[in-house]
Amino acid sequence: EAEVAQSPRYKITEKSQAVAFWCDPISGHATLYWYRQILGQGPELLVQFQDESVVDDSQLPKDRFSAERLKGVDSTLKIQPAELGDSAMYLCASSFLLAGGGEQFFGPGTRLTVL
Amino acid sequence: GENVEQHPSTLSVQEGDSAVIKCTYSDSASNYFPWYKQELGKGPQLIIDIRSNVGEKKDQRIAVTLNKTAKHFSLHITETQPEDSAVYFCADGNNNDMRFGAGTRLTVKP
């Protein structure tokens, strides 16, 4: 069964350091999402790609966060510099259709701890 | 942005009992309502979804009902089992975006 792959699964870093997360969506899924999930809360969208284009990055803190999907396949989310409040689970999801058009398939997530 | 409210935040039931989780949304343009189950250390997995042109959908022990007039939808799990224990999230979406509730931690006691 096809799955969304994410790495690393866990990341511990010190504040002010740079971190990067990688996501490989299900083959053929044009839409890719990055979510942040704070403990005890639901996922919150950071950025949404349609192929290699950003569709929505209105909730992405652009002073420190960046995301790219250069060839419209896998994607990287970067934080520089990391802050204590960035500690969370970072989830990647992909779907065949845009946003509310259909099921989003989630990866296992990257748990980030900023010390 | 417009939110989706989910209740209760925690729910404990005895094995074999039913569990009901409710969500209320505010965006009139929402037309897709999925429910996700998230187990510890894993990403959310879709368990059932419903579209705005349908009032109810059932899949074995799981059912979802939608009241578009009142803007609320509910997840019903019957004959609960210990493996149903997890965090459940509702969401509402349209062609542009999707919003998640805060989650319900369901515990099924054997």
Side-chain angles (χ1 to χ4, degrees):
Chain A
E1 182 176 305
E3 294 180 342
V4 175
Q6 288 189 249
S7 67
R9 292 293 309 278
Y10 305 92
K11 179 69 178 178
I12 300 174
T13 190
E14 294 184 345
K15 63 180 181 178
S16 80
Q17 296 298 304
V19 292
F21 313 132
W22 177 79
C23 172
D24 191 13
I26 293 173
S27 178
H29 281 191
T31 310
L32 184 147
Y33 315 80
W34 282 102
Y35 288 90
R36 177 169 57 189
Q37 186 178 25
I38 295 170
L39 193 63
Q41 298 182 19
E44 294 180 320
L45 182 69
L46 290 173
V47 60
Q48 177 183 334
F49 289 91
Q50 181 69 15
D51 298 312
E52 66 276 7
S53 300
V54 173
V55 174
D56 183 359
D57 64 355
S58 58
Q59 300 304 310
L60 188 71
K62 297 180 188 64
D63 57 336
R64 298 185 301 107
F65 286 64
S66 64
E68 60 183 16
R69 193 184 184 198
L70 294 176
K71 297 183 179 178
V73 181
D74 59 339
S75 175
T76 302
L77 177 70
K78 296 179 181 178
I79 308 175
Q80 182 174 18
E83 295 180 353
L84 296 177
D86 296 332
S87 294
M89 175 79 87
Y90 290 83
L91 294 163
C92 178
S94 70
S95 68
F96 185 69
L97 297 174
L98 268 176
E103 179 180 359
Q104 294 186 20
F105 294 81
F106 283 84
T110 296
R111 180 161 295 284
L112 173 66
T113 301
V114 182
L115 303 175
Chain B
E2 303 188 71
N3 298 320
V4 54
E5 295 185 0
Q6 183 172 345
H7 300 281
S9 57
T10 60
L11 179 59
S12 182
V13 300
Q14 206 67 37
E15 182 178 359
D17 288 351
S18 295
V20 180
I21 303 170
K22 299 181 179 181
C23 286
T24 303
Y25 65 99
S26 54
D27 187 353
S28 300
S30 295
N31 55 17
Y32 177 63
F33 306 92
W35 285 89
Y36 284 84
K37 176 183 182 182
Q38 187 173 26
E39 297 176 335
L40 194 63
K42 298 183 179 180
Q45 282 196 309
L46 182 77
I47 55 172
I48 196 167
D49 57 8
I50 193 168
R51 295 194 178 274
S52 58
N53 57 345
V54 176
E56 183 175 359
K57 185 176 178 181
K58 191 173 182 180
D59 183 4
Q60 298 182 344
R61 297 187 296 110
I62 296 172
V64 57
T65 59
L66 170 65
N67 183 328
K68 279 216 76 177
T69 303
K71 293 196 177 85
H72 62 71
F73 55 112
S74 301
L75 176 71
H76 304 252
I77 306 174
T78 58
E79 301 172 25
T80 54
Q81 301 167 3
E83 50 266 39
D84 293 331
S85 296
V87 179
Y88 291 81
F89 293 97
C90 64
D92 77 295
N94 52 44
N95 290 332
N96 297 315
D97 55 16
M98 195 154 79
R99 294 158 294 271
F100 287 82
T104 296
R105 180 172 296 281
L106 173 64
T107 303
V108 180
K109 295 180 284 186

